[in-house]
Short mmCIF file of all heavy atoms in Angstrom, two decimals:
data_model
loop_
_atom_site.label_atom_id
_atom_site.label_comp_id
_atom_site.label_asym_id
_atom_site.label_seq_id
_atom_site.Cartn_x
_atom_site.Cartn_y
_atom_site.Cartn_z
N GLN D 1 83.72 100.88 71.21
CA GLN D 1 83.00 99.75 71.79
C GLN D 1 83.89 98.99 72.77
O GLN D 1 83.46 98.62 73.87
CB GLN D 1 82.53 98.81 70.67
CG GLN D 1 81.56 97.74 71.11
CD GLN D 1 80.12 98.22 71.19
OE1 GLN D 1 79.79 99.24 70.62
NE2 GLN D 1 79.28 97.48 71.89
N GLN D 2 85.15 98.79 72.38
CA GLN D 2 86.09 98.07 73.24
C GLN D 2 86.34 98.84 74.53
O GLN D 2 86.35 98.27 75.63
CB GLN D 2 87.40 97.83 72.50
CG GLN D 2 87.30 96.85 71.34
CD GLN D 2 88.59 96.76 70.56
OE1 GLN D 2 89.65 97.16 71.03
NE2 GLN D 2 88.50 96.26 69.34
N HIS D 3 86.54 100.15 74.41
CA HIS D 3 86.77 100.96 75.60
C HIS D 3 85.55 100.95 76.51
O HIS D 3 85.67 100.89 77.73
CB HIS D 3 87.11 102.40 75.20
CG HIS D 3 88.47 102.56 74.62
ND1 HIS D 3 88.79 103.55 73.73
CD2 HIS D 3 89.61 101.83 74.78
CE1 HIS D 3 90.06 103.45 73.38
NE2 HIS D 3 90.56 102.40 73.99
N GLY D 4 84.36 101.00 75.91
CA GLY D 4 83.13 100.95 76.70
C GLY D 4 82.99 99.63 77.44
O GLY D 4 82.63 99.60 78.62
N GLU D 5 83.28 98.54 76.74
CA GLU D 5 83.19 97.22 77.38
C GLU D 5 84.21 97.08 78.50
O GLU D 5 83.92 96.50 79.55
CB GLU D 5 83.41 96.13 76.32
CG GLU D 5 82.27 96.03 75.31
CD GLU D 5 82.59 95.10 74.15
OE1 GLU D 5 83.73 94.60 74.11
OE2 GLU D 5 81.72 94.89 73.28
N ALA D 6 85.43 97.62 78.28
CA ALA D 6 86.45 97.55 79.33
C ALA D 6 86.03 98.35 80.55
O ALA D 6 86.25 97.93 81.69
CB ALA D 6 87.79 98.06 78.79
N ALA D 7 85.42 99.53 80.32
CA ALA D 7 84.96 100.35 81.43
C ALA D 7 83.84 99.66 82.21
O ALA D 7 83.81 99.68 83.44
CB ALA D 7 84.49 101.72 80.91
N VAL D 8 82.92 99.04 81.48
CA VAL D 8 81.82 98.32 82.14
C VAL D 8 82.37 97.16 82.97
O VAL D 8 81.93 96.93 84.10
CB VAL D 8 80.82 97.80 81.08
CG1 VAL D 8 79.88 96.78 81.70
CG2 VAL D 8 80.01 98.95 80.52
N GLU D 9 83.32 96.43 82.42
CA GLU D 9 83.91 95.31 83.15
C GLU D 9 84.61 95.81 84.41
O GLU D 9 84.52 95.20 85.48
CB GLU D 9 84.91 94.57 82.26
CG GLU D 9 85.54 93.36 82.94
CD GLU D 9 86.53 92.64 82.03
OE1 GLU D 9 86.71 93.08 80.88
OE2 GLU D 9 87.13 91.64 82.48
N SER D 10 85.32 96.94 84.29
CA SER D 10 86.01 97.51 85.44
C SER D 10 85.04 97.92 86.52
O SER D 10 85.26 97.67 87.71
CB SER D 10 86.86 98.71 85.00
OG SER D 10 87.50 99.32 86.10
N VAL D 11 83.94 98.56 86.12
CA VAL D 11 82.94 98.99 87.10
C VAL D 11 82.26 97.77 87.74
O VAL D 11 81.96 97.76 88.94
CB VAL D 11 81.88 99.90 86.43
CG1 VAL D 11 80.70 100.14 87.36
CG2 VAL D 11 82.51 101.22 86.05
N GLY D 12 82.04 96.72 86.95
CA GLY D 12 81.48 95.49 87.51
C GLY D 12 82.38 94.90 88.58
O GLY D 12 81.91 94.47 89.64
N ASN D 13 83.69 94.89 88.30
CA ASN D 13 84.65 94.40 89.30
C ASN D 13 84.69 95.31 90.51
O ASN D 13 84.83 94.86 91.65
CB ASN D 13 86.03 94.29 88.68
CG ASN D 13 86.11 93.21 87.61
OD1 ASN D 13 85.35 92.25 87.63
ND2 ASN D 13 87.03 93.37 86.67
N LEU D 14 84.55 96.63 90.25
CA LEU D 14 84.57 97.59 91.35
C LEU D 14 83.37 97.38 92.27
O LEU D 14 83.48 97.49 93.50
CB LEU D 14 84.58 99.01 90.79
CG LEU D 14 84.61 100.14 91.82
CD1 LEU D 14 85.84 100.04 92.70
CD2 LEU D 14 84.58 101.50 91.11
N LYS D 15 82.21 97.06 91.71
CA LYS D 15 81.03 96.81 92.53
C LYS D 15 81.23 95.59 93.45
O LYS D 15 80.78 95.58 94.58
CB LYS D 15 79.81 96.59 91.63
CG LYS D 15 79.36 97.85 90.89
CD LYS D 15 78.25 97.57 89.91
CE LYS D 15 76.97 97.21 90.59
NZ LYS D 15 75.85 97.00 89.64
N LYS D 16 81.96 94.60 92.93
CA LYS D 16 82.27 93.44 93.75
C LYS D 16 83.20 93.82 94.90
O LYS D 16 83.05 93.35 96.03
CB LYS D 16 82.92 92.35 92.90
CG LYS D 16 82.01 91.77 91.83
CD LYS D 16 82.74 90.74 90.97
CE LYS D 16 81.83 90.21 89.87
NZ LYS D 16 82.56 89.24 88.99
N VAL D 17 84.18 94.70 94.60
CA VAL D 17 85.11 95.14 95.64
C VAL D 17 84.36 95.93 96.71
O VAL D 17 84.65 95.81 97.90
CB VAL D 17 86.23 96.01 95.01
CG1 VAL D 17 87.09 96.65 96.09
CG2 VAL D 17 87.10 95.16 94.09
N MET D 18 83.38 96.74 96.30
CA MET D 18 82.65 97.57 97.26
C MET D 18 81.86 96.71 98.25
O MET D 18 81.56 97.16 99.37
CB MET D 18 81.70 98.50 96.50
CG MET D 18 82.42 99.57 95.68
SD MET D 18 81.32 100.52 94.62
CE MET D 18 80.34 101.40 95.83
N LYS D 19 81.51 95.50 97.86
CA LYS D 19 80.74 94.62 98.74
C LYS D 19 81.61 93.92 99.78
O LYS D 19 81.10 93.29 100.70
CB LYS D 19 80.00 93.58 97.90
CG LYS D 19 78.92 94.18 96.99
CD LYS D 19 78.25 93.10 96.17
CE LYS D 19 77.19 93.69 95.24
NZ LYS D 19 76.55 92.65 94.39
N LEU D 20 82.93 93.98 99.59
CA LEU D 20 83.81 93.31 100.54
C LEU D 20 83.77 94.00 101.89
O LEU D 20 83.74 95.23 101.98
CB LEU D 20 85.25 93.29 100.00
CG LEU D 20 85.48 92.51 98.69
CD1 LEU D 20 86.91 92.69 98.22
CD2 LEU D 20 85.17 91.03 98.88
N SER D 21 83.78 93.20 102.94
CA SER D 21 83.77 93.77 104.29
C SER D 21 85.17 94.14 104.76
O SER D 21 85.35 95.03 105.59
CB SER D 21 83.15 92.77 105.28
OG SER D 21 83.88 91.53 105.25
N ASP D 22 86.21 93.44 104.22
CA ASP D 22 87.58 93.70 104.62
C ASP D 22 88.08 94.97 103.92
O ASP D 22 88.21 95.02 102.70
CB ASP D 22 88.47 92.51 104.24
CG ASP D 22 89.88 92.63 104.82
OD1 ASP D 22 90.20 93.72 105.36
OD2 ASP D 22 90.65 91.66 104.74
N LYS D 23 88.38 96.00 104.70
CA LYS D 23 88.80 97.27 104.13
C LYS D 23 90.12 97.14 103.38
O LYS D 23 90.35 97.82 102.38
CB LYS D 23 88.92 98.33 105.23
CG LYS D 23 89.21 99.72 104.68
CD LYS D 23 89.23 100.75 105.80
CE LYS D 23 89.51 102.14 105.22
NZ LYS D 23 89.53 103.18 106.28
N ASP D 24 91.02 96.27 103.87
CA ASP D 24 92.33 96.11 103.23
C ASP D 24 92.17 95.62 101.79
O ASP D 24 93.00 95.92 100.94
CB ASP D 24 93.21 95.13 104.01
CG ASP D 24 93.62 95.70 105.37
OD1 ASP D 24 93.59 96.95 105.50
OD2 ASP D 24 93.95 94.92 106.27
#
């Protein structure tokens, strides 16, 4: 459960990064 929650949190953060316009 902990690993699943950590993966979901990571993917949630990754989705935020994907929305950034600055490539750097």
Side-chain angles (χ1 to χ4, degrees):
Q1 190 83 17
Q2 291 174 19
H3 287 153
E5 291 171 357
V8 166
E9 182 180 359
S10 177
V11 169
N13 293 334
L14 180 59
K15 291 174 69 177
K16 295 177 182 178
V17 172
M18 293 172 67
K19 294 178 181 179
L20 297 175
S21 57
D22 189 350
K23 186 176 181 180
D24 292 338

